[in-house]
Amino acid sequence: QDERNQVLTSYLWVRQAWLDAHLTWDKDAYDGIDSIRIPSSYVWRPDIILYNNADDRFGGSMETNVVLRSDGHIMWDSPAITKSSCKVDVSYFPFDGQRCRLTFGSWTYNGNQIDLRNRLDTGDLTDFVENVEWEVLGMPATRNVITYGCCSEPYPDVTYTLLLRRRASFYIFNLLLPCIMVSFLAPLGFYLPADSGEKVSLGVTVLLALTVFQLLVAESMPPSESVPLIGKYYIATMTMITASTALTIFIMNVHHCGPGARPVPPWARRLILHHMARLCCVYEVGESCKGPRRAPGGQVGRGDSGGPGESLMEGEVGADAGSCPRDRCMCHHKGLLRNVDYIAGCFRRHRASQRRTGEWKKVAKVVDRFFMWVFFLMVFLMSVLVLGKAA
């Protein structure tokens, strides 16, 4: 079956039988000869053709012999290779089934001249040769009597409906499974460290791979309005990967915000650094998901040193408590104290900027992990939905 051009090629044996009263003889007068084989061109033949023929060379059956019996019954068994038009519905490709009709009827004789009937209710599939892509479920036959607008006489025809079901194993292993595996790679882009420089390139590579698979599907499908099921899956996955790549760019911008960034807002610190971090199990080295966490905002505990300025002030208080002699204590020199205060202020500002940068990196990491699980869930649901709809 040529799905792109919607043409079905069939190898058939067309069996026709009729009664010709002018071709009878007495078999006893001819040594008991009951039947003879003569060329079909020597006798009258009904002009039965395939109505929905799609072949460029509109030809009939092969010129084979007919079996002529003494009572006038004629049997014409002729092999034929037909090309018929078949409307292809690829909505559930590659888990689809097709119904292709073969309509046979007379071209010039109406129903009052030829009463066309089918001997069997179904086509004879005894000698059917199995196809590697399609499985034949049956071939029922129906007789229709149609009155066309041009003529008042009825025209009977016999329509054989070929019921086909696609063998989807080839497409599952070559188109569907690679797409599912590539789709599960896309959320892993959120797991890559932001400093690796490969987050965006992974998303773009996965997007290009899916584009190649979609082109392979589009080349074999007819250009119709109905989008195949696997094509919908490709489009949904490509949309998801595009969204994940855009989110990755935004998260990398948050990660590399720099020391001049504003502090993390309180709502973001409470929602992202506390609730979402615990939900996504994002923790620093030495911490665990279930253990006590540092308070958001990076407050320094008792064991942390407050910097050179704080140490200096503690030394000054200690010097006052120990009644350091004024002439020997260097802490009372105003110039030296001013320089030390300047250095301590620089250290405090540097530590504050580092704390802000670390908080924004933590925010980017938590958001990365959150979207990774969200997109993993989306890929899983889409895969289950496609397989379930196909079933």
Side-chain angles (χ1 to χ4, degrees), residues 89-272:
D89 184 12
V90 293
S91 301
Y92 291 94
F93 176 85
F95 305 98
D96 57 332
Q98 305 297 334
R99 300 170 63 91
C100 295
R101 292 176 174 83
L102 301 172
T103 303
F104 295 93
S106 175
W107 188 251
T108 57
Y109 296 99
N110 56 51
N112 299 325
Q113 296 167 329
I114 292 182
D115 187 14
L116 184 63
R117 294 183 179 273
N118 52 299
R119 279 190 171 183
L120 302 176
D121 294 333
T122 62
D124 187 5
L125 300 177
T126 305
D127 299 323
F128 175 73
V129 179
E130 293 289 336
N131 187 271
V132 295
E133 184 179 0
W134 295 96
E135 178 184 0
V136 177
L137 303 179
M139 195 176 179
T142 57
R143 181 179 181 269
N144 308 302
V145 179
I146 302 175
T147 302
Y148 296 97
C150 64
C151 313
S152 59
E153 297 85 2
Y155 283 86
D157 64 68
V158 175
T159 300
Y160 292 89
T161 304
L162 190 61
L163 306 179
L164 302 174
R165 184 173 61 189
R166 192 188 303 272
R167 303 180 191 270
S169 302
F170 174 81
Y171 298 97
I172 289 175
F173 285 101
N174 290 277
L175 291 179
L176 192 57
L177 283 183
C179 177
I180 293 177
M181 290 188 290
V182 170
S183 301
F184 275 99
L185 279 179
L188 291 177
F190 292 106
Y191 193 76
L192 278 175
D195 297 327
S196 64
E198 299 293 334
K199 294 171 72 69
V200 177
S201 60
L202 176 62
V204 173
T205 304
V206 172
L207 190 63
L208 291 176
L210 288 177
T211 305
V212 172
F213 282 115
Q214 189 187 22
L215 289 177
L216 292 176
V217 174
E219 286 180 357
S220 59
M221 294 293 101
S224 61
E225 293 184 357
S226 59
V227 182
L229 184 63
I230 191 172
K232 294 178 182 179
Y233 181 69
Y234 284 165
I235 292 296
T237 307
M238 292 170 66
T239 304
M240 184 200 67
I241 294 174
T242 303
S244 67
T245 306
L247 286 172
T248 299
I249 295 174
F250 171 74
I251 293 171
M252 288 183 65
N253 191 18
V254 173
H255 178 84
H256 297 285
C257 59
R262 296 180 180 180
V264 178
W267 65 268
R269 182 180 290 111
R270 184 172 54 256
L271 175 64
I272 299 177

Side-chain angles (χ1 to χ4, degrees), residues 305-371:
S305 175
E310 289 81 359
S311 300
L312 178 62
M313 297 306 296
E314 290 177 1
E316 185 177 355
V317 174
D320 291 340
S323 64
C324 177
R326 177 178 287 275
D327 54 349
R328 295 183 181 180
C329 184
M330 298 177 61
C331 300
H332 298 288
H333 292 277
K334 294 182 179 181
L336 182 59
L337 184 61
R338 188 166 50 251
N339 294 334
V340 172
D341 285 339
Y342 174 75
I343 296 173
C346 291
F347 271 105
R348 282 194 296 269
R349 287 191 296 272
H350 179 67
R351 292 187 60 188
S353 64
Q354 282 185 336
R355 189 182 302 116
R356 287 196 301 270
T357 304
E359 286 182 350
W360 282 115
K361 289 184 178 181
K362 184 72 173 296
V363 168
K365 186 176 181 181
V366 172
V367 174
D368 253 340
R369 298 296 171 82
F370 175 76
F371 281 115

